[in-house]
Amino acid sequence: MAFTTLPSIRNSISCPTMLVPDMPHNNISLRNKGFIYKGQHGINLRDFTKANVASPSLPVIAPPTPEERKETTADDRHHHVAWTSIPQERWEGELQVQGKIPLWLKGTYLRNGPGMWHIEDYNFRHLFDGYATLVRLGFQNGRLVAGHRQIESEAYRAAKKNKKICYREFSEVPKAANFLAYVGELASLFSGASLTDNANTGVVKLGDGRVVCLTETQKGSIVINPETLETVGKFEYSDSLGGLIHSAHPIVTDNEFLTLLPDLVRAGYLVVRMEPGTNERRVIGRVNCRGGPAPGWVHSFPVTEHYVIVPEMPLRYCAQNLLKAEPTPLYKFEWHPESKAFMHAMCKTSGKIVASVEVPLFVTFHFINAYEEQDEDGRVTAIIADCCEHNSDTTILDRLRLQNLRSFNGEDVLPDARVGRFRIPLDGSPYGTLEAALEPNEHGRGMDMCSINPNYLGKKYRYAYACGAQRPCNFPNTLTKLDFELKKAKNWHEEGAVPSEPFFVARPGATEEDDGVVISIVSEKNGEGFALVLDGSTFEEIARAKFPYGLPYGLHGCWVPKE
């Protein structure tokens, strides 16, 4: 590739830009030198950009030509762009908006997720294995500046340097050169040294303003700059609680950070809190598991105003599967229906367990919200907890193998899912209930990746936004607004499109729960993609902005308001 040095791009008219990482050359960093790629493009790049959007301190090159994109992703170029590795590490540009972005929408939407599923000629196996790609949508004055960047974890840097996987990912294990190397790798597994820090799952804004990308390993907590997407460094916990894993989805507000630490030795969970401005977690209390050889997987959990809800799912962590070089259909977990399923409620203040009930078997990745049910006198009689529930069908895990996602042939193979509503009584009853909160056909019997108005976290709420399904499909392919009062859903769908998590941003000063917008990033079947903004109330499209090339599917996001 040929490059031409530019003295400055402050006043230049820019095409969509890709920001490349520092590349050492004779001990000189290229971060502050500008570059522009000269190439022939089959599209008019200025259709997607406006002038003067790139930072003058960052290197700039145009997006790849179609020929380069084929070369970059030769192994998967025939697949839907949602499941195709991103063609470059960094990019930034202002997008042309079709429609109208509300002027009150000022801030940055960040979306994290796996975006690179190969190293050299080796293709990863599972959706969750990919190296993290952070996407930024910056909204201000009705304009939209977008960008993406790979998170520079140790796992990612080592893979790029050594041209192979060097840490244990969700289903990938480094290939040992010999038996002694394998023994050494197992030893480092027990210390946590070989576990990945690939923070490809979520991104949260802490109460003190720091923005942290997360995954299920504690070491995979990485601070990033929300404006430049630069990897700032590891988020180091300063306490002595130890452990290797935690819930990938903590509960984060301006006042606190709550999470669960599974105890794989003495089956149970520590419920911990971290105050803003600190890195120290303090124990609120402990829940001992009531069944099974190990704690159930806790990818997420809900809270109410006064209680932390700890789910004990019969899909339990399995040390034996963790040691295997080749993945089982349940990967690091094992299904133990005989161990039953439970829901525990702990008082946030005292750490006391106020309820521990058996519930029907369930499988869920993501809880939506929870709240306290009151009687006529205002006494709390039960806790309601909603989740995206897969009808206790564990096959959803294996359905997320990239081979399955890339080989859709029109058959309806997505396992059914629903909004599972738990009721946890607080009267000492040993049993709780689990039922569908609304008819699953309202959302195509697909359900995952939910968000709510954050002002209703832990409170009685009416609306949620999620990914549903229009059948036939092999993956959730609609955006849906759930109305729990009317038990109805509104759905957004475009043929061949794969939208990521719909993220709700409330309008400042709003008094209605659904007064705001819903943001999603959509991957299209034709290899393109766009940012989408829907009205939170009507669920009608109000704006979209096309990217210069399609982005792969992503997982979870957060909102960083502009001060």
Side-chain angles (χ1 to χ4, degrees), residues 329-487:
L330 292 181
Y331 300 90
K332 313 304 183 190
F333 312 104
E334 200 168 45
W335 181 241
H336 287 276
E338 77 287 349
S339 72
K340 302 180 181 179
F342 305 92
M343 294 287 281
H344 313 276
M346 177 183 290
C347 175
K348 286 183 183 179
T349 304
S350 68
K352 178 182 177 181
I353 298 173
V354 300
S356 179
V357 299
E358 182 183 338
V359 294
L361 302 182
F362 68 98
V363 170
T364 185
F365 299 158
H366 300 116
F367 279 86
I368 304 170
N369 196 23
Y371 59 89
E372 296 158 18
E373 188 177 72
Q374 298 181 347
D375 64 15
E376 296 176 352
D377 299 322
R379 292 173 296 193
V380 178
T381 57
I383 293 170
I384 304 299
D386 293 340
C387 70
C388 305
E389 205 278 305
H390 297 280
N391 294 315
S392 65
D393 182 357
T394 61
T395 63
I396 183 61
L397 262 179
D398 213 38
R399 291 290 184 183
L400 297 179
R401 284 188 297 132
L402 289 167
Q403 177 183 348
N404 293 335
L405 297 175
R406 290 169 173 170
S407 60
F408 180 57
N409 59 6
E411 296 182 12
D412 191 28
V413 294
L414 177 69
D416 285 1
R418 60 179 177 166
V419 178
R421 173 160 287 184
F422 293 96
R423 186 177 186 275
I424 306 167
L426 298 183
D427 61 0
S429 169
Y431 300 103
T433 60
L434 171 61
E435 299 175 344
L438 74 167
E439 169 55 49
N441 283 320
E442 282 287 322
H443 49 78
R445 306 185 321 280
M447 178 52 46
D448 217 334
M449 314 303 284
C450 279
S451 74
I452 64 168
N453 184 328
N455 296 318
Y456 288 77
L457 175 68
K459 303 176 183 178
K460 187 173 177 59
Y461 72 123
R462 176 175 177 178
Y463 302 110
Y465 303 89
C467 289
Q470 180 158 309
R471 306 284 177 159
C473 59
N474 69 336
F475 193 80
N477 58 0
T478 72
L479 300 173
T480 184
K481 178 185 179 180
L482 306 169
D483 185 332
F484 295 127
E485 185 175 298
L486 297 180
K487 298 187 182 301

Side-chain angles (χ1 to χ4, degrees), residues 22-35:
D22 285 352
M23 296 175 288
H25 181 68
N26 296 330
N27 298 319
I28 299 175
S29 170
L30 300 182
R31 180 179 297 276
N32 295 315
K33 297 184 181 293
F35 292 87

Side-chain angles (χ1 to χ4, degrees), residues 38-112:
K38 292 181 176 180
Q40 299 299 317
H41 300 274
I43 56 175
N44 183 353
L45 296 175
R46 288 190 175 85
D47 288 345
F48 306 119
T49 61
K50 295 182 181 178
N52 195 25
V53 297
S55 165
S57 64
L58 292 169
V60 180
I61 71 173
T65 65
E67 291 75 17
E68 290 169 330
R69 288 170 64 179
K70 288 181 180 180
E71 292 173 3
T72 304
T73 59
D75 290 330
D76 55 9
R77 63 177 178 265
H78 300 299
H79 306 136
H80 195 297
V81 70
W83 322 121
T84 302
S85 291
I86 202 157
Q88 67 252 71
E89 292 182 320
R90 298 169 65 183
W91 170 83
E92 183 182 66
E94 183 169 348
L95 307 183
Q96 186 176 66
V97 176
Q98 302 173 24
K100 189 174 182 180
I101 296 173
L103 295 179
W104 60 259
L105 188 64
K106 298 179 180 179
T108 296
Y109 168 68
L110 297 172
R111 190 199 73 177
N112 192 9

